[in-house]
Structure formats: C-alpha cells, structure tokens
C-alpha cells in the first residue's frame, strides 16, 4: 500500500490533518524519462512542476489540494518568492504582513508547524528595480488561484531552493470574504488559524523538500472534521498511483507521459 496517510489532531477548535511521507514518497516507481533530456515544448515541469527531483508526487499534491478545496475561493500565499510568483501568475499580489511557516527539516508534525511568521520576500535584495520600495520587502503576497494550473505556476516560482512552501486559503467566495482574509493577514498582531479560517473553510500548507534533510508535507486545517473526506481522497489517489506505476516504464516519450498525468493528478489543470 502507498503511504498516503494523514494523522489528525484537534487543538484550539481547529482540526489539523498532517501528511508526512518520510523516506518513502507517495509515488515510488517513476517514469525513466524524468532523468533524460526533454524536447522543446510542453514538459513535465511546465505542465505539472514535475522534475527529476520533485517527481510525480507533485502532481498528486496539486490534485489532492484542488479537490479538497472544491467549492471555495482559493488564495495562495507563497513563502518568500512573492515577486517570482507574481511573474509566473501574471498577477500583482495583495501585500500582507504575515505568511505561514513549516520547517522542512523537522521530522514531526508538531515540530514542523511554526504557524504565522512575519512576511518576507526576495524584493529586499533587489533595490533599483522599477517600483521597488524598501517597506514592501518584509511583506508577503496573496494571489488568487482560478485553476489548478495556477497552483502549478505558483510551484514554478517557489521550487528554486532547498525547500519550498505554499499556503492555500480556501474561503467562502466573494469580495467581502477576500477583504476580510486580507485584513486578518495584515497588522501588528500575529494571526491564528483559529480566527483566520471560518466554519467549513479549509487551510492547506504544502511544503516540498528538495535538498537532503528537507521533507515534503501537507497540513490541512479546518474547524470541521475533514478526516472522512481526506480518507476517501487518499484511497482514490492510492488507486491512481498504482495504475500510473503499472504503466510508468512503458511511457515512450514526453507526450505519452503528459497523457498519463491527468489520471494521476485527478483534475484537469486548466478547468475552472
């Protein structure tokens, strides 16, 4: 069986569900072409943020997060690489003062979860750019995710380092709720998930470790108990992973790989 398992704990009125793959990733048999040259045009990375380090499990993460947050408006807060995410998404971020932090080097859910921390960005290292303002360097950016491919494009921006992290706030649709979320993420007082997410809304932190000693994780939080829903999705992805691994060695080229990915991912990337 594939280790797509979430452990759950409830604290301060919030249910937290943690996925910690440890030494064994969600996908264990990989397409051999990930370790070969790719042709010009669509590639595993351009389409799914999959590469020969962060492999097919990334497609599983994208699909799982999108399906788990169905019916809600999704906003991404990428850690550190705010401006790069803006370029990738072709959006101007809504600047906020706080971002979420998970320590990729820690090995337990409790020790990894650092909660909200003051925002930061690469902006502070690039004075002289058009529109550069020193006061914006220590602010994070909130982006709207209209499609699953927007989540992929955000991954394109953050998969540049030893580890990368994206927090997704899935909240009730509408401008008033978006404005309230922005207000919660601004100001001198440190936010808490208990207050930031309301009712059946969902918060998801996706952390991906690239260098040795850094580890992937997914943390899902909500005031409602999502265990049954997460279990059903996890079982579905176990079936998808098994079906994909059975054909991985027979995928003859990049085009064949990309045709196989929707079955693994479980969503159409550009569907709204």
């Amino acid at each position: 069986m594939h280790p797509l398992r979430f452990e759950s704990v409830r604290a301060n009125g919030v249910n937290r569900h943690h996925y910690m793959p440890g030494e064994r990733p969600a996908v264990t048999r990989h397409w051999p072409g990930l370790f070969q040259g790719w042709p010009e045009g669509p590639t595993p990375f351009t389409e799914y943020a999959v590469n020969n380090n962060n492999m097919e499990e990334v497609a599983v993460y994208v699909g799982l997060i999108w399906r788990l947050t169905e019916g809600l408006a999704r906003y991404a807060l990428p850690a550190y690489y705010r401006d790069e995410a803006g370029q990738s998404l072709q959006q101007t971020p809504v600047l906020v003062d706080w971002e979420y932090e998970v320590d990729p080097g820690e090995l337990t859910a409790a020790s990894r979860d650092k909660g909200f921390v003051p925002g930061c960005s690469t902006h502070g290292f690039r004075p002289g750019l058009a529109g550069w303002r020193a006061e914006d360097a220590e602010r994070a950016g909130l982006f709207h995710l209209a499609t699953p491919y927007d989540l992929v494009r955000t991954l394109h921006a953050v998969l540049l380092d030893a580890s990368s992290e994206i927090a997704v706030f899935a909240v009730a649709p509408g401008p008033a709720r978006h404005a309230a979320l922005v207000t919660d993420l601004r100001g001198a007082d440190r936010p808490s998930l208990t207050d930031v997410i309301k009712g059946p809304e969902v918060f998801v932190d996706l952390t991906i470790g690239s260098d040795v000693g850094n580890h992937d994780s997914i943390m899902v939080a909500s005031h409602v108990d999502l265990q049954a829903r997460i279990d059903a999705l996890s079982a579905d992805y176990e079936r998808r992973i098994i079906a994909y691994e059975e054909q991985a060695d027979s995928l003859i080229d990049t085009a064949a790989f990309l045709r196989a990915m929707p079955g693994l991912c479980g969503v159409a990337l550009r569907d709204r």
Side-chain angles (χ1 to χ4, degrees):
M1 297 293 289
H2 292 271
L4 200 60
R5 294 286 184 269
F6 284 77
E7 298 180 359
S8 300
V9 62
R10 183 174 176 85
N12 300 319
V14 175
N15 298 285
R16 296 172 187 255
H17 309 270
H18 298 274
Y19 166 61
M20 300 280 293
E23 296 300 320
R24 185 182 179 191
V27 180
T28 56
R29 179 183 293 177
H30 305 290
W31 177 51
L34 290 180
F35 308 95
Q36 302 169 6
W38 298 338
E40 294 294 327
T43 70
F45 187 74
T46 63
E47 301 307 295
Y48 289 91
V50 168
N51 56 75
N52 60 12
N53 188 7
N54 315 112
M55 293 181 276
E56 293 97 331
E57 63 270 13
V58 176
V60 174
Y61 300 158
V62 168
L64 177 66
I65 291 169
W66 203 260
R67 294 170 68 187
L68 186 60
T69 57
E70 184 178 3
L72 298 168
R74 305 164 177 98
Y75 300 95
L77 202 165
Y80 192 53
Y81 290 103
R82 179 196 73 200
D83 295 346
E84 291 78 2
Q87 293 169 4
S88 183
L89 288 163
Q90 298 184 325
Q91 291 183 33
T92 300
V94 176
L95 297 181
V96 295
D97 298 309
W98 299 89
E99 63 186 27
Y100 209 84
E101 181 176 305
V102 165
D103 186 338
E106 291 291 334
L107 298 178
T108 68
S111 63
R112 288 171 71 87
D113 188 354
K114 304 303 181 184
F116 285 100
V117 298
C120 63
S121 75
T122 59
H123 193 83
F125 298 97
R126 297 184 294 170
L129 290 179
W132 186 88
R133 299 194 313 166
E135 60 266 35
D136 290 342
E138 296 183 358
R139 304 191 79 188
L142 197 65
F143 299 90
H144 179 232
L145 302 180
T147 70
Y149 193 63
D150 286 341
L151 181 53
V152 172
R153 292 199 292 180
T154 310
L155 284 166
H156 288 160
V158 302
L159 283 175
L160 304 170
D161 217 328
S163 65
S164 54
E165 183 176 1
I166 300 170
V168 176
F169 300 86
V171 301
R177 183 65 187 95
H178 174 253
L181 174 63
V182 171
T183 298
D184 285 340
L185 297 175
R186 285 179 173 170
D189 295 332
R190 178 181 178 179
S192 71
L193 281 180
T194 304
D195 299 326
V196 172
I197 54 174
K198 320 291 185 185
E201 295 176 345
V202 180
F203 171 86
V204 185
D205 181 276
L206 171 62
T207 297
I208 297 178
S210 296
D211 283 6
V212 174
N214 293 325
H215 306 275
D216 295 3
S217 67
I218 301 173
M219 191 271 281
V220 181
S222 180
H223 288 283
V224 302
D225 187 353
L226 297 175
Q227 189 65 57
R229 189 172 176 187
I230 289 173
D231 287 346
L233 285 170
S234 296
D236 180 65
Y237 276 105
E238 287 186 355
R239 291 188 291 270
R240 290 176 182 274
I241 290 166
I242 291 169
Y244 170 76
E245 290 186 342
E246 288 175 348
Q247 62 175 319
D249 289 340
S250 65
L251 301 174
I252 61 173
D253 56 20
T254 299
F257 173 84
L258 294 177
R259 287 193 296 270
M261 278 295 96
L264 178 63
C265 184
V267 296
L269 289 185
R270 290 171 176 79
D271 281 357
R272 293 186 180 271

